[in-house]
Amino acid sequence: MINSYNEWDKLERVVVGRADYANWPVNDPVYRNEAKNSLWTETPAPSGPVPQWIIDETEEDLHLLCKALVQCGVEVVRPDFMNFQTHDGMYNYCPRDRLLVAGNTIVDPAMLFPCRDQEIECLRSVTDQ
């Protein structure tokens, strides 16, 4: 069961994201439009699969975070796998963006980028308990 009533009780269970198959959407019109509004002009907005070396390094860091949390007695839950590169999605790196927990209520907030709606599918194993 998921619940959170304050920010200072002992952490018992946490969802740690994944970087596997991370992707910068190509066909999401909102993402593409927002990229045009960026003040960063040194390089174009990223598009397509995130380079594998970045995914690998990120997963290595996430694994170390999970290990540290488990050593502290925290149950770690990870989102299910999804190949965001083949679905033109983004990633599951930020599950906290997808779920807002208030008490024993789980809210699925609206996302700015439509491509991020896919991420909730990877969290069903977390929310259906």
Side-chain angles (χ1 to χ4, degrees):
M1 163 168 262
I2 295 175
N3 61 63
S4 180
Y5 293 94
N6 61 52
E7 297 177 2
W8 50 85
D9 280 351
K10 179 182 178 210
L11 182 62
E12 297 174 9
R13 187 174 188 223
V14 67
V15 180
V16 174
R18 293 187 183 278
D20 303 295
Y21 304 109
N23 186 62
W24 297 114
V26 175
N27 297 310
D28 184 314
V30 179
Y31 179 82
R32 289 287 128 215
N33 190 51
E34 287 299 311
K36 293 177 192 173
N37 295 329
S38 174
L39 299 177
W40 178 260
T41 59
E42 299 298 316
T43 57
S47 180
V50 171
Q52 190 60 45
W53 69 270
I54 294 174
I55 293 172
D56 292 343
E57 286 192 24
T58 304
E59 274 302 311
E60 182 180 322
D61 292 346
L62 289 170
H63 175 74
L64 292 173
L65 172 63
C66 291
K67 185 177 176 181
L69 288 165
V70 168
Q71 288 174 345
C72 291
V74 177
E75 179 185 354
V76 175
V77 179
R78 306 288 303 270
D80 297 332
F81 285 98
M82 177 183 276
N83 188 333
F84 292 97
Q85 295 171 0
T86 61
H87 290 86
D88 198 36
M90 282 185 101
Y91 43 62
N92 246 330
Y93 184 73
C94 308
R96 190 176 62 174
D97 291 356
R98 278 306 327 178
L99 298 176
L100 173 65
V101 179
N104 63 357
T105 301
I106 302 171
V107 179
D108 178 9
M111 303 303 292
L112 173 64
F113 305 133
C115 64
R116 292 208 57 200
D117 289 340
Q118 302 168 19
E119 295 168 32
I120 196 68
E121 296 303 318
C122 300
L123 294 167
R124 295 286 178 223
S125 60
V126 174
T127 60
D128 290 345
Q129 294 186 10

